[in-house]
Amino acid sequence: MTTPAVVRAEDAEGVCEQAAQEFLRLAEESVAARGRFAVALSGGSTPRALYQLLSGQPNRGRVDWSSVEFFWGDERSVPPDDEASNFRMVREAMLQTLAVSEAQIHRMEAEREDFDAAAREYQETIARVLQVSATGPPPPLDLVLLGIGPDGHTASLFPQTKALDETTRWVVPNEVPQLNTRRMTLTVPMINAARSVIFLVAGEKKASLLAEVLYGPSQPDQLPSQLVAPVSGRLTWLVDEAASRKLPASISKLPASISK
Ligand code: 6PG
């Protein structure tokens, strides 16, 4: 893995602006190189503003949306119209404005009774879209967007859950006893195969956690976000001032721009 870049913006809005610029750059690069841009979107509250920025002008006109394949990093076990659905959040914040073809939108069907079959079929969908074998190693998505939860989880890789140990599958169901629920999630190998992974982290509530994840001792079972280390891709942490307050001064004083 290349050294992760930690890039600071003033506030959550700035984090989303930086992320939007990086999204535009990667989309252009990926479409030019491979004819498509395959992205896994994250849920949570922070990225909503990013999706709104992307679907608003001028950004909307800067992406060849017909070449974008939309995947999700994780999903809650609810129907797609439920308020807690990550799919619904992205649809409302971005997809309904863009009016992209349904064939480009690959939501995780986490409302299904047979969760394991749904996860296996999602792996097959990724394989079909990226034109690789569904039984081989995880293929590289062009971009995986992630956040960190207050307990150190990312995607739906929660502390001390079974999905953390997955070494082969790309997508798995994950029982999350601490939330008394189950989720569907991309696995660590799938995330780490990506060409680019970007974490969006904002707010002072994340400050101690962010310092722990980035500079604390390695304890991935407790802090699953520490497992994110793209094999040959690029890892970028986009953080705001409040979230970066407990980082070493050299990092928290970095200028607000993405190093190329
Ligand atoms: C979800 C997520 C999750 C999220 C983090 C951060 O479905 O909840 O995908 O992993 O990214 O919990 O969420 P915030 O941006 O709301 O802090």
Side-chain angles (χ1 to χ4, degrees), residues 40 70-76 78-80 85-87 105-112 118-119 122 126 170-172 183-187:
F70 298 92
F71 295 95
W72 273 256
D74 72 321
E75 187 56 278
R76 291 103 187 259
V78 295
S85 160
N86 284 340
F87 165 75
I105 302 172
H106 314 288
R107 75 171 183 89
M108 288 177 161
E109 296 179 352
E111 75 280 16
R112 279 170 54 181
Y122 202 69
I126 297 174
W170 314 351
V171 187
V172 289
R183 299 275 187 101
M184 193 175 298
T185 186
L186 296 186
T187 60

PDB file of all heavy atoms in Angstrom, residues 40 70-76 78-80 85-87 105-112 118-119 122 126 170-172 183-187:
ATOM      1  N   ALA A  40     -18.242   2.399  -4.941  1.00  0.00           N
ATOM      2  CA  ALA A  40     -19.075   1.907  -3.837  1.00  0.00           C
ATOM      3  C   ALA A  40     -19.342   3.078  -2.903  1.00  0.00           C
ATOM      4  O   ALA A  40     -18.409   3.728  -2.417  1.00  0.00           O
ATOM      5  CB  ALA A  40     -18.376   0.773  -3.090  1.00  0.00           C
ATOM      6  N   PHE A  70     -22.964   2.248  -9.929  1.00  0.00           N
ATOM      7  CA  PHE A  70     -23.128   2.570  -8.509  1.00  0.00           C
ATOM      8  C   PHE A  70     -23.315   1.304  -7.673  1.00  0.00           C
ATOM      9  O   PHE A  70     -24.282   0.568  -7.853  1.00  0.00           O
ATOM     10  CB  PHE A  70     -24.366   3.451  -8.307  1.00  0.00           C
ATOM     11  CG  PHE A  70     -24.297   4.780  -9.005  1.00  0.00           C
ATOM     12  CD1 PHE A  70     -24.807   4.926 -10.293  1.00  0.00           C
ATOM     13  CD2 PHE A  70     -23.731   5.881  -8.383  1.00  0.00           C
ATOM     14  CE1 PHE A  70     -24.759   6.156 -10.943  1.00  0.00           C
ATOM     15  CE2 PHE A  70     -23.679   7.116  -9.035  1.00  0.00           C
ATOM     16  CZ  PHE A  70     -24.192   7.241 -10.317  1.00  0.00           C
ATOM     17  N   PHE A  71     -22.387   1.096  -6.744  1.00  0.00           N
ATOM     18  CA  PHE A  71     -22.509   0.012  -5.778  1.00  0.00           C
ATOM     19  C   PHE A  71     -22.609   0.630  -4.386  1.00  0.00           C
ATOM     20  O   PHE A  71     -22.423   1.841  -4.216  1.00  0.00           O
ATOM     21  CB  PHE A  71     -21.283  -0.914  -5.843  1.00  0.00           C
ATOM     22  CG  PHE A  71     -21.157  -1.645  -7.148  1.00  0.00           C
ATOM     23  CD1 PHE A  71     -20.358  -1.151  -8.185  1.00  0.00           C
ATOM     24  CD2 PHE A  71     -21.836  -2.832  -7.356  1.00  0.00           C
ATOM     25  CE1 PHE A  71     -20.245  -1.818  -9.390  1.00  0.00           C
ATOM     26  CE2 PHE A  71     -21.731  -3.509  -8.569  1.00  0.00           C
ATOM     27  CZ  PHE A  71     -20.939  -2.997  -9.574  1.00  0.00           C
ATOM     28  N   TRP A  72     -22.868  -0.224  -3.399  1.00  0.00           N
ATOM     29  CA  TRP A  72     -22.895   0.251  -2.010  1.00  0.00           C
ATOM     30  C   TRP A  72     -21.868  -0.518  -1.190  1.00  0.00           C
ATOM     31  O   TRP A  72     -21.601  -1.700  -1.465  1.00  0.00           O
ATOM     32  CB  TRP A  72     -24.295   0.054  -1.406  1.00  0.00           C
ATOM     33  CG  TRP A  72     -25.189   1.224  -1.687  1.00  0.00           C
ATOM     34  CD1 TRP A  72     -25.532   2.207  -0.789  1.00  0.00           C
ATOM     35  CD2 TRP A  72     -25.810   1.587  -2.933  1.00  0.00           C
ATOM     36  NE1 TRP A  72     -26.331   3.147  -1.424  1.00  0.00           N
ATOM     37  CE2 TRP A  72     -26.508   2.798  -2.726  1.00  0.00           C
ATOM     38  CE3 TRP A  72     -25.835   1.032  -4.206  1.00  0.00           C
ATOM     39  CZ2 TRP A  72     -27.224   3.437  -3.732  1.00  0.00           C
ATOM     40  CZ3 TRP A  72     -26.537   1.668  -5.216  1.00  0.00           C
ATOM     41  CH2 TRP A  72     -27.219   2.852  -4.982  1.00  0.00           C
ATOM     42  N   GLY A  73     -21.306   0.160  -0.195  1.00  0.00           N
ATOM     43  CA  GLY A  73     -20.332  -0.497   0.675  1.00  0.00           C
ATOM     44  C   GLY A  73     -21.016  -1.350   1.720  1.00  0.00           C
ATOM     45  O   GLY A  73     -20.472  -2.358   2.183  1.00  0.00           O
ATOM     46  N   ASP A  74     -22.223  -0.950   2.108  1.00  0.00           N
ATOM     47  CA  ASP A  74     -22.977  -1.728   3.089  1.00  0.00           C
ATOM     48  C   ASP A  74     -24.444  -1.320   3.052  1.00  0.00           C
ATOM     49  O   ASP A  74     -24.797  -0.287   2.482  1.00  0.00           O
ATOM     50  CB  ASP A  74     -22.412  -1.559   4.507  1.00  0.00           C
ATOM     51  CG  ASP A  74     -22.694  -0.185   5.103  1.00  0.00           C
ATOM     52  OD1 ASP A  74     -22.629   0.813   4.367  1.00  0.00           O
ATOM     53  OD2 ASP A  74     -23.001  -0.113   6.311  1.00  0.00           O
ATOM     54  N   GLU A  75     -25.259  -2.162   3.675  1.00  0.00           N
ATOM     55  CA  GLU A  75     -26.683  -1.846   3.730  1.00  0.00           C
ATOM     56  C   GLU A  75     -27.295  -2.391   5.013  1.00  0.00           C
ATOM     57  O   GLU A  75     -26.848  -3.412   5.551  1.00  0.00           O
ATOM     58  CB  GLU A  75     -27.393  -2.425   2.498  1.00  0.00           C
ATOM     59  CG  GLU A  75     -28.849  -2.023   2.343  1.00  0.00           C
ATOM     60  CD  GLU A  75     -29.089  -0.497   2.315  1.00  0.00           C
ATOM     61  OE1 GLU A  75     -29.135   0.105   3.415  1.00  0.00           O
ATOM     62  OE2 GLU A  75     -29.236   0.077   1.217  1.00  0.00           O
ATOM     63  N   ARG A  76     -28.280  -1.663   5.509  1.00  0.00           N
ATOM     64  CA  ARG A  76     -29.028  -2.115   6.682  1.00  0.00           C
ATOM     65  C   ARG A  76     -30.115  -3.084   6.221  1.00  0.00           C
ATOM     66  O   ARG A  76     -30.560  -3.006   5.076  1.00  0.00           O
ATOM     67  CB  ARG A  76     -29.675  -0.909   7.370  1.00  0.00           C
ATOM     68  CG  ARG A  76     -28.667   0.029   8.037  1.00  0.00           C
ATOM     69  CD  ARG A  76     -28.425   1.283   7.236  1.00  0.00           C
ATOM     70  NE  ARG A  76     -27.356   2.117   7.779  1.00  0.00           N
ATOM     71  CZ  ARG A  76     -27.577   3.203   8.515  1.00  0.00           C
ATOM     72  NH1 ARG A  76     -28.811   3.571   8.788  1.00  0.00           N
ATOM     73  NH2 ARG A  76     -26.569   3.906   8.972  1.00  0.00           N
ATOM     74  N   VAL A  78     -33.189  -3.481   5.819  1.00  0.00           N
ATOM     75  CA  VAL A  78     -34.489  -2.814   5.703  1.00  0.00           C
ATOM     76  C   VAL A  78     -34.860  -2.713   4.223  1.00  0.00           C
ATOM     77  O   VAL A  78     -33.972  -2.766   3.364  1.00  0.00           O
ATOM     78  CB  VAL A  78     -34.444  -1.377   6.302  1.00  0.00           C
ATOM     79  CG1 VAL A  78     -34.188  -1.401   7.802  1.00  0.00           C
ATOM     80  CG2 VAL A  78     -33.390  -0.518   5.591  1.00  0.00           C
ATOM     81  N   PRO A  79     -36.141  -2.539   3.922  1.00  0.00           N
ATOM     82  CA  PRO A  79     -36.533  -2.362   2.513  1.00  0.00           C
ATOM     83  C   PRO A  79     -35.962  -1.062   1.952  1.00  0.00           C
ATOM     84  O   PRO A  79     -35.631  -0.137   2.713  1.00  0.00           O
ATOM     85  CB  PRO A  79     -38.067  -2.291   2.579  1.00  0.00           C
ATOM     86  CG  PRO A  79     -38.445  -2.798   3.926  1.00  0.00           C
ATOM     87  CD  PRO A  79     -37.290  -2.557   4.831  1.00  0.00           C
ATOM     88  N   PRO A  80     -35.853  -0.983   0.624  1.00  0.00           N
ATOM     89  CA  PRO A  80     -35.192   0.174   0.002  1.00  0.00           C
ATOM     90  C   PRO A  80     -35.892   1.518   0.225  1.00  0.00           C
ATOM     91  O   PRO A  80     -35.266   2.556   0.041  1.00  0.00           O
ATOM     92  CB  PRO A  80     -35.193  -0.182  -1.492  1.00  0.00           C
ATOM     93  CG  PRO A  80     -36.158  -1.296  -1.641  1.00  0.00           C
ATOM     94  CD  PRO A  80     -36.228  -2.014  -0.349  1.00  0.00           C
ATOM     95  N   SER A  85     -32.500   3.128   5.104  1.00  0.00           N
ATOM     96  CA  SER A  85     -31.820   2.497   3.967  1.00  0.00           C
ATOM     97  C   SER A  85     -30.725   3.395   3.385  1.00  0.00           C
ATOM     98  O   SER A  85     -30.956   4.561   3.063  1.00  0.00           O
ATOM     99  CB  SER A  85     -32.870   2.182   2.887  1.00  0.00           C
ATOM    100  OG  SER A  85     -32.258   2.001   1.636  1.00  0.00           O
ATOM    101  N   ASN A  86     -29.547   2.827   3.222  1.00  0.00           N
ATOM    102  CA  ASN A  86     -28.456   3.583   2.592  1.00  0.00           C
ATOM    103  C   ASN A  86     -28.776   3.845   1.121  1.00  0.00           C
ATOM    104  O   ASN A  86     -28.432   4.894   0.575  1.00  0.00           O
ATOM    105  CB  ASN A  86     -27.137   2.808   2.703  1.00  0.00           C
ATOM    106  CG  ASN A  86     -26.547   2.888   4.102  1.00  0.00           C
ATOM    107  OD1 ASN A  86     -26.891   3.775   4.878  1.00  0.00           O
ATOM    108  ND2 ASN A  86     -25.682   1.956   4.432  1.00  0.00           N
ATOM    109  N   PHE A  87     -29.442   2.879   0.503  1.00  0.00           N
ATOM    110  CA  PHE A  87     -29.858   3.072  -0.888  1.00  0.00           C
ATOM    111  C   PHE A  87     -30.789   4.275  -0.996  1.00  0.00           C
ATOM    112  O   PHE A  87     -30.612   5.147  -1.855  1.00  0.00           O
ATOM    113  CB  PHE A  87     -30.562   1.807  -1.408  1.00  0.00           C
ATOM    114  CG  PHE A  87     -31.326   2.049  -2.671  1.00  0.00           C
ATOM    115  CD1 PHE A  87     -30.661   2.195  -3.878  1.00  0.00           C
ATOM    116  CD2 PHE A  87     -32.712   2.158  -2.647  1.00  0.00           C
ATOM    117  CE1 PHE A  87     -31.368   2.443  -5.049  1.00  0.00           C
ATOM    118  CE2 PHE A  87     -33.422   2.413  -3.818  1.00  0.00           C
ATOM    119  CZ  PHE A  87     -32.748   2.556  -5.018  1.00  0.00           C
ATOM    120  N   ILE A 105     -27.524   1.014 -11.362  1.00  0.00           N
ATOM    121  CA  ILE A 105     -27.676   1.149  -9.906  1.00  0.00           C
ATOM    122  C   ILE A 105     -27.770  -0.240  -9.285  1.00  0.00           C
ATOM    123  O   ILE A 105     -28.717  -0.980  -9.543  1.00  0.00           O
ATOM    124  CB  ILE A 105     -28.940   1.976  -9.587  1.00  0.00           C
ATOM    125  CG1 ILE A 105     -28.833   3.349 -10.249  1.00  0.00           C
ATOM    126  CG2 ILE A 105     -29.131   2.103  -8.085  1.00  0.00           C
ATOM    127  CD1 ILE A 105     -30.106   4.174 -10.161  1.00  0.00           C
ATOM    128  N   HIS A 106     -26.765  -0.590  -8.496  1.00  0.00           N
ATOM    129  CA  HIS A 106     -26.682  -1.937  -7.949  1.00  0.00           C
ATOM    130  C   HIS A 106     -26.823  -1.867  -6.437  1.00  0.00           C
ATOM    131  O   HIS A 106     -25.837  -1.768  -5.715  1.00  0.00           O
ATOM    132  CB  HIS A 106     -25.349  -2.574  -8.339  1.00  0.00           C
ATOM    133  CG  HIS A 106     -25.023  -2.360  -9.798  1.00  0.00           C
ATOM    134  ND1 HIS A 106     -25.702  -3.015 -10.800  1.00  0.00           N
ATOM    135  CD2 HIS A 106     -24.149  -1.526 -10.412  1.00  0.00           C
ATOM    136  CE1 HIS A 106     -25.233  -2.605 -11.970  1.00  0.00           C
ATOM    137  NE2 HIS A 106     -24.295  -1.707 -11.760  1.00  0.00           N
ATOM    138  N   ARG A 107     -28.061  -1.893  -5.984  1.00  0.00           N
ATOM    139  CA  ARG A 107     -28.257  -1.794  -4.544  1.00  0.00           C
ATOM    140  C   ARG A 107     -28.130  -3.160  -3.890  1.00  0.00           C
ATOM    141  O   ARG A 107     -28.380  -4.189  -4.534  1.00  0.00           O
ATOM    142  CB  ARG A 107     -29.611  -1.160  -4.222  1.00  0.00           C
ATOM    143  CG  ARG A 107     -30.796  -2.045  -4.415  1.00  0.00           C
ATOM    144  CD  ARG A 107     -32.057  -1.396  -3.866  1.00  0.00           C
ATOM    145  NE  ARG A 107     -33.189  -2.306  -4.006  1.00  0.00           N
ATOM    146  CZ  ARG A 107     -33.524  -3.204  -3.087  1.00  0.00           C
ATOM    147  NH1 ARG A 107     -32.852  -3.304  -1.952  1.00  0.00           N
ATOM    148  NH2 ARG A 107     -34.552  -4.016  -3.290  1.00  0.00           N
ATOM    149  N   MET A 108     -27.742  -3.181  -2.621  1.00  0.00           N
ATOM    150  CA  MET A 108     -27.689  -4.439  -1.880  1.00  0.00           C
ATOM    151  C   MET A 108     -29.105  -4.758  -1.425  1.00  0.00           C
ATOM    152  O   MET A 108     -29.753  -3.912  -0.803  1.00  0.00           O
ATOM    153  CB  MET A 108     -26.779  -4.279  -0.653  1.00  0.00           C
ATOM    154  CG  MET A 108     -25.312  -4.193  -0.989  1.00  0.00           C
ATOM    155  SD  MET A 108     -24.330  -3.923   0.511  1.00  0.00           S
ATOM    156  CE  MET A 108     -22.713  -4.441  -0.065  1.00  0.00           C
ATOM    157  N   GLU A 109     -29.569  -5.974  -1.722  1.00  0.00           N
ATOM    158  CA  GLU A 109     -30.948  -6.330  -1.360  1.00  0.00           C
ATOM    159  C   GLU A 109     -30.962  -6.909   0.049  1.00  0.00           C
ATOM    160  O   GLU A 109     -31.209  -8.092   0.270  1.00  0.00           O
ATOM    161  CB  GLU A 109     -31.513  -7.307  -2.395  1.00  0.00           C
ATOM    162  CG  GLU A 109     -31.606  -6.646  -3.752  1.00  0.00           C
ATOM    163  CD  GLU A 109     -32.138  -7.571  -4.834  1.00  0.00           C
ATOM    164  OE1 GLU A 109     -32.306  -8.783  -4.596  1.00  0.00           O
ATOM    165  OE2 GLU A 109     -32.386  -7.051  -5.938  1.00  0.00           O
ATOM    166  N   ALA A 110     -30.689  -6.035   1.007  1.00  0.00           N
ATOM    167  CA  ALA A 110     -30.523  -6.485   2.393  1.00  0.00           C
ATOM    168  C   ALA A 110     -31.856  -6.671   3.128  1.00  0.00           C
ATOM    169  O   ALA A 110     -31.876  -6.998   4.308  1.00  0.00           O
ATOM    170  CB  ALA A 110     -29.623  -5.502   3.150  1.00  0.00           C
ATOM    171  N   GLU A 111     -32.951  -6.464   2.405  1.00  0.00           N
ATOM    172  CA  GLU A 111     -34.248  -6.705   3.023  1.00  0.00           C
ATOM    173  C   GLU A 111     -34.663  -8.168   2.858  1.00  0.00           C
ATOM    174  O   GLU A 111     -35.649  -8.616   3.443  1.00  0.00           O
ATOM    175  CB  GLU A 111     -35.319  -5.789   2.409  1.00  0.00           C
ATOM    176  CG  GLU A 111     -35.802  -6.172   1.000  1.00  0.00           C
ATOM    177  CD  GLU A 111     -34.847  -5.734  -0.124  1.00  0.00           C
ATOM    178  OE1 GLU A 111     -33.684  -5.411   0.174  1.00  0.00           O
ATOM    179  OE2 GLU A 111     -35.274  -5.727  -1.299  1.00  0.00           O
ATOM    180  N   ARG A 112     -33.896  -8.916   2.058  1.00  0.00           N
ATOM    181  CA  ARG A 112     -34.307 -10.283   1.751  1.00  0.00           C
ATOM    182  C   ARG A 112     -34.140 -11.226   2.923  1.00  0.00           C
ATOM    183  O   ARG A 112     -33.222 -11.080   3.732  1.00  0.00           O
ATOM    184  CB  ARG A 112     -33.514 -10.795   0.543  1.00  0.00           C
ATOM    185  CG  ARG A 112     -34.107 -10.288  -0.768  1.00  0.00           C
ATOM    186  CD  ARG A 112     -33.226 -10.558  -1.927  1.00  0.00           C
ATOM    187  NE  ARG A 112     -32.848 -11.970  -2.040  1.00  0.00           N
ATOM    188  CZ  ARG A 112     -32.045 -12.416  -3.008  1.00  0.00           C
ATOM    189  NH1 ARG A 112     -31.556 -11.587  -3.901  1.00  0.00           N
ATOM    190  NH2 ARG A 112     -31.719 -13.693  -3.056  1.00  0.00           N
ATOM    191  N   ALA A 118     -28.534 -13.332  -0.922  1.00  0.00           N
ATOM    192  CA  ALA A 118     -28.505 -11.947  -1.412  1.00  0.00           C
ATOM    193  C   ALA A 118     -27.057 -11.441  -1.499  1.00  0.00           C
ATOM    194  O   ALA A 118     -26.671 -10.775  -2.462  1.00  0.00           O
ATOM    195  CB  ALA A 118     -29.335 -11.056  -0.496  1.00  0.00           C
ATOM    196  N   ALA A 119     -26.248 -11.807  -0.508  1.00  0.00           N
ATOM    197  CA  ALA A 119     -24.838 -11.387  -0.519  1.00  0.00           C
ATOM    198  C   ALA A 119     -24.081 -12.069  -1.657  1.00  0.00           C
ATOM    199  O   ALA A 119     -23.269 -11.448  -2.346  1.00  0.00           O
ATOM    200  CB  ALA A 119     -24.179 -11.710   0.824  1.00  0.00           C
ATOM    201  N   TYR A 122     -24.989 -10.474  -4.833  1.00  0.00           N
ATOM    202  CA  TYR A 122     -24.347  -9.151  -4.989  1.00  0.00           C
ATOM    203  C   TYR A 122     -22.916  -9.327  -5.516  1.00  0.00           C
ATOM    204  O   TYR A 122     -22.457  -8.573  -6.363  1.00  0.00           O
ATOM    205  CB  TYR A 122     -24.349  -8.392  -3.660  1.00  0.00           C
ATOM    206  CG  TYR A 122     -24.201  -6.891  -3.855  1.00  0.00           C
ATOM    207  CD1 TYR A 122     -25.228  -6.147  -4.426  1.00  0.00           C
ATOM    208  CD2 TYR A 122     -23.035  -6.223  -3.497  1.00  0.00           C
ATOM    209  CE1 TYR A 122     -25.110  -4.786  -4.634  1.00  0.00           C
ATOM    210  CE2 TYR A 122     -22.900  -4.859  -3.697  1.00  0.00           C
ATOM    211  CZ  TYR A 122     -23.947  -4.142  -4.256  1.00  0.00           C
ATOM    212  OH  TYR A 122     -23.824  -2.781  -4.473  1.00  0.00           O
ATOM    213  N   ILE A 126     -21.389  -7.753  -8.979  1.00  0.00           N
ATOM    214  CA  ILE A 126     -20.115  -7.017  -9.118  1.00  0.00           C
ATOM    215  C   ILE A 126     -19.279  -7.670 -10.220  1.00  0.00           C
ATOM    216  O   ILE A 126     -18.727  -6.998 -11.092  1.00  0.00           O
ATOM    217  CB  ILE A 126     -19.321  -7.004  -7.782  1.00  0.00           C
ATOM    218  CG1 ILE A 126     -20.094  -6.270  -6.680  1.00  0.00           C
ATOM    219  CG2 ILE A 126     -17.946  -6.354  -7.985  1.00  0.00           C
ATOM    220  CD1 ILE A 126     -19.448  -6.351  -5.295  1.00  0.00           C
ATOM    221  N   TRP A 170     -16.463 -11.525  -1.301  1.00  0.00           N
ATOM    222  CA  TRP A 170     -16.385 -10.080  -1.544  1.00  0.00           C
ATOM    223  C   TRP A 170     -17.462  -9.328  -0.768  1.00  0.00           C
ATOM    224  O   TRP A 170     -17.318  -8.141  -0.467  1.00  0.00           O
ATOM    225  CB  TRP A 170     -16.571  -9.768  -3.031  1.00  0.00           C
ATOM    226  CG  TRP A 170     -15.803 -10.596  -3.992  1.00  0.00           C
ATOM    227  CD1 TRP A 170     -14.809 -11.512  -3.701  1.00  0.00           C
ATOM    228  CD2 TRP A 170     -15.953 -10.618  -5.406  1.00  0.00           C
ATOM    229  NE1 TRP A 170     -14.349 -12.079  -4.854  1.00  0.00           N
ATOM    230  CE2 TRP A 170     -15.022 -11.554  -5.923  1.00  0.00           C
ATOM    231  CE3 TRP A 170     -16.777  -9.929  -6.305  1.00  0.00           C
ATOM    232  CZ2 TRP A 170     -14.901 -11.813  -7.279  1.00  0.00           C
ATOM    233  CZ3 TRP A 170     -16.663 -10.181  -7.662  1.00  0.00           C
ATOM    234  CH2 TRP A 170     -15.732 -11.121  -8.136  1.00  0.00           C
ATOM    235  N   VAL A 171     -18.564 -10.059  -0.536  1.00  0.00           N
ATOM    236  CA  VAL A 171     -19.728  -9.462   0.137  1.00  0.00           C
ATOM    237  C   VAL A 171     -20.269 -10.501   1.119  1.00  0.00           C
ATOM    238  O   VAL A 171     -20.385 -11.667   0.742  1.00  0.00           O
ATOM    239  CB  VAL A 171     -20.860  -9.161  -0.881  1.00  0.00           C
ATOM    240  CG1 VAL A 171     -21.994  -8.384  -0.216  1.00  0.00           C
ATOM    241  CG2 VAL A 171     -20.334  -8.428  -2.102  1.00  0.00           C
ATOM    242  N   VAL A 172     -20.571 -10.084   2.325  1.00  0.00           N
ATOM    243  CA  VAL A 172     -21.117 -11.065   3.284  1.00  0.00           C
ATOM    244  C   VAL A 172     -22.237 -10.448   4.117  1.00  0.00           C
ATOM    245  O   VAL A 172     -22.295  -9.229   4.309  1.00  0.00           O
ATOM    246  CB  VAL A 172     -20.030 -11.593   4.281  1.00  0.00           C
ATOM    247  CG1 VAL A 172     -19.037 -12.497   3.593  1.00  0.00           C
ATOM    248  CG2 VAL A 172     -19.353 -10.448   5.018  1.00  0.00           C
ATOM    249  N   ARG A 183     -26.428  -6.809   8.974  1.00  0.00           N
ATOM    250  CA  ARG A 183     -26.118  -5.894   7.872  1.00  0.00           C
ATOM    251  C   ARG A 183     -25.513  -6.693   6.728  1.00  0.00           C
ATOM    252  O   ARG A 183     -25.057  -7.813   6.922  1.00  0.00           O
ATOM    253  CB  ARG A 183     -25.069  -4.855   8.327  1.00  0.00           C
ATOM    254  CG  ARG A 183     -25.486  -3.952   9.489  1.00  0.00           C
ATOM    255  CD  ARG A 183     -26.255  -2.771   8.968  1.00  0.00           C
ATOM    256  NE  ARG A 183     -26.541  -1.792  10.014  1.00  0.00           N
ATOM    257  CZ  ARG A 183     -25.854  -0.654  10.191  1.00  0.00           C
ATOM    258  NH1 ARG A 183     -24.805  -0.376   9.442  1.00  0.00           N
ATOM    259  NH2 ARG A 183     -26.208   0.196  11.132  1.00  0.00           N
ATOM    260  N   MET A 184     -25.464  -6.067   5.586  1.00  0.00           N
ATOM    261  CA  MET A 184     -24.705  -6.639   4.478  1.00  0.00           C
ATOM    262  C   MET A 184     -23.533  -5.709   4.227  1.00  0.00           C
ATOM    263  O   MET A 184     -23.684  -4.483   4.312  1.00  0.00           O
ATOM    264  CB  MET A 184     -25.581  -6.757   3.237  1.00  0.00           C
ATOM    265  CG  MET A 184     -24.935  -7.636   2.187  1.00  0.00           C
ATOM    266  SD  MET A 184     -25.987  -7.906   0.772  1.00  0.00           S
ATOM    267  CE  MET A 184     -27.359  -8.748   1.504  1.00  0.00           C
ATOM    268  N   THR A 185     -22.384  -6.276   3.923  1.00  0.00           N
ATOM    269  CA  THR A 185     -21.196  -5.412   3.794  1.00  0.00           C
ATOM    270  C   THR A 185     -20.193  -5.953   2.789  1.00  0.00           C
ATOM    271  O   THR A 185     -20.087  -7.171   2.597  1.00  0.00           O
ATOM    272  CB  THR A 185     -20.518  -5.253   5.184  1.00  0.00           C
ATOM    273  OG1 THR A 185     -19.445  -4.292   5.087  1.00  0.00           O
ATOM    274  CG2 THR A 185     -19.941  -6.571   5.719  1.00  0.00           C
ATOM    275  N   LEU A 186     -19.469  -5.054   2.153  1.00  0.00           N
ATOM    276  CA  LEU A 186     -18.278  -5.460   1.413  1.00  0.00           C
ATOM    277  C   LEU A 186     -17.289  -5.959   2.457  1.00  0.00           C
ATOM    278  O   LEU A 186     -17.270  -5.477   3.591  1.00  0.00           O
ATOM    279  CB  LEU A 186     -17.657  -4.278   0.646  1.00  0.00           C
ATOM    280  CG  LEU A 186     -18.487  -3.640  -0.470  1.00  0.00           C
ATOM    281  CD1 LEU A 186     -17.634  -2.597  -1.201  1.00  0.00           C
ATOM    282  CD2 LEU A 186     -19.025  -4.661  -1.470  1.00  0.00           C
ATOM    283  N   THR A 187     -16.452  -6.893   2.055  1.00  0.00           N
ATOM    284  CA  THR A 187     -15.483  -7.447   3.000  1.00  0.00           C
ATOM    285  C   THR A 187     -14.163  -6.661   2.937  1.00  0.00           C
ATOM    286  O   THR A 187     -13.951  -5.847   2.028  1.00  0.00           O
ATOM    287  CB  THR A 187     -15.182  -8.915   2.653  1.00  0.00           C
ATOM    288  OG1 THR A 187     -14.647  -8.949   1.317  1.00  0.00           O
ATOM    289  CG2 THR A 187     -16.433  -9.763   2.737  1.00  0.00           C
TER     290      THR A 187
END
